[in-house]
Amino acid sequence: MSLVLKNISLPLAPFTLEVEVEIHGRVTAIFGPSGSGKTSLLELVAGLRRAKSAFIQLGDRVLTDTAEGVFVPVRQRGIGYVPQELALFPHLSVRQNLLYGNRSGRETSHLFTFERVTEVLEIQPLIQRGVTELSGGEKQRVALARALLASPRLLLLDEPLASLDAKLKMRIIPYFARIRDEFRVPMLYVTHDRFETLALADEMVVLVSGKIAQTGSVREVFSRPANLAVAGLLTVETIQPGRIVQTADGLVSVAVGSTMLTAMAHSLSPDTGEVYVCIRAEDVILLAKGNSPTSARNQLPALVLSVTPEGPHMRAELDCGFTLAALLTKQACEELALKPGHPVVALVKAPHIHLIAR
Amino acid sequence: MTAAERHIVAFTVEMAVLSTALILPVGVALAWCLARLRWRGKALVETFVALPLVLPPVVTGLVLLKLFGRRGPVGHWLYSEFHFDVVFTWRAVTLALAVMSFPLLVWTARSAIEEVNPALEQIARTLGAGEWRVFFTITLPLAKRGILAGIVLAFARALGEFGATIMVAGNIPGVTTTLSTDIYQLVQVGEDSQAWTLVGISLTLAFAAVWLNLRLMQRGKR
């Protein structure tokens, strides 16, 4: 199923949202910084907001065409929407929330049965509860299940994990992956998180100040950002493909090229082999070349490739078998006398290495 | 309490219940329109609805008398079409109570509806619900407490109405006499002790209504 967005023009406070794109991905990440118009775009597709000019077509059905005066009402679009605030109905039980969209006489697909959806999202134990008794992660799953049970042709997810802490995020991501793989509903997934994008999306649309900065497969966009704005959004962290070599005592050994790294195993399913290794630049500590013992599991001899100022910090690009970015203070940079070609040791604690199954 | 007193209390409560029941659907519908829609003339309607709150009740009563009298535009039409009179009958009592308590219901219900998160209604629409279903399954249940508080407030206001009632319905014993018009009448003719019984009843009813209203508002906030 394809989603065609043409001639979209919606004036927002600091800019006008102008979009022209055709989306075919199973999961398409709408990626961009806060306030770039991502949510407004979703609302246009859902029909919750009207644009001055817009043409929106899902599959063979035109949903909005301002030129022809076509506007399919929200309830007839068959588009599931999970907003950032989730919007569970507080006066209804979990069961009533789940069934709300299931009785509107719409053609229901055998795929989205109550049993199957609650099973895949593991919410059977929650069904009898009140919505206010749920934890953040449980609410997230219930909101997702409620949208699915209305048998949507397209699912819109607005920063679904933004309100969850990092640990919980890692636990919820696999549920989205299951939805993607088992129910095959196309999804538009709004996020400003590279992690979620890498873990879930196959295509991405990068939105900056209401304009599309780049579209393409996730791999393509990440490896070849179209311009400085996109690169700025994406290259905050080190991302390298890696392979799991060994798992023991809750630790995994990951090979990135010829370099071996140690990371925590908890966020991975046991049969994962191929991963993306993600390291945030601020989690990298640099030592002058030498042999002092530290508690950090990863001590990587490296050569400095470049040192560039970034805001109040300095960004050092290192070669330790792969390219690793480190963010440090100007003072630290001076004390270590970092210069291109200079040998250092990069330290990264195992919990700071994030692995994403690929 | 004498039989006459009981009759007056029952009649007053009846009229207050009837007037509140009459304004309920209209009031809640108007409250919804004010809370959720943007339309031309909204400010004008808002002002118009609030007028009975600030006008002297006798003025409101006089306007009603002129409108609903047999020679008034509405009254004339009602008489020629349906052959009944409004003024100086129990219908006029209901009318006066309804008009006077209407703004209280609309204002309270409106703010209750405004407090319902519109995102919940939006999501209900994405789940396939039409406007009626959204209203009855989302908006109304979530605004229920506030609307109930508005009903109690309107009912309490109706119980104590005097100025408009006496203008449009008069004070005809056994026909249009309510608690407050009777108290006024008794004091006029120097029957203070009888008046005090009715004052006590009024006080009790008002106290119960206001207390219930406050409790509903409090629980509504949670």
Side-chain angles (χ1 to χ4, degrees), chain B residues 123-139:
Chain B
I123 287 303
R125 290 183 190 108
T126 68
L127 292 168
E131 290 308 312
W132 288 104
R133 180 153 182 248
V134 171
F135 178 77
F136 282 106
T137 59
I138 307 294
T139 318

Side-chain angles (χ1 to χ4, degrees), chain A residues 85-101:
Chain A
E85 51 175 327
L86 302 180
L88 293 177
F89 305 133
H91 59 301
L92 302 179
S93 70
V94 170
R95 171 186 286 277
Q96 288 168 316
N97 265 277
L98 292 175
L99 291 175
Y100 194 88

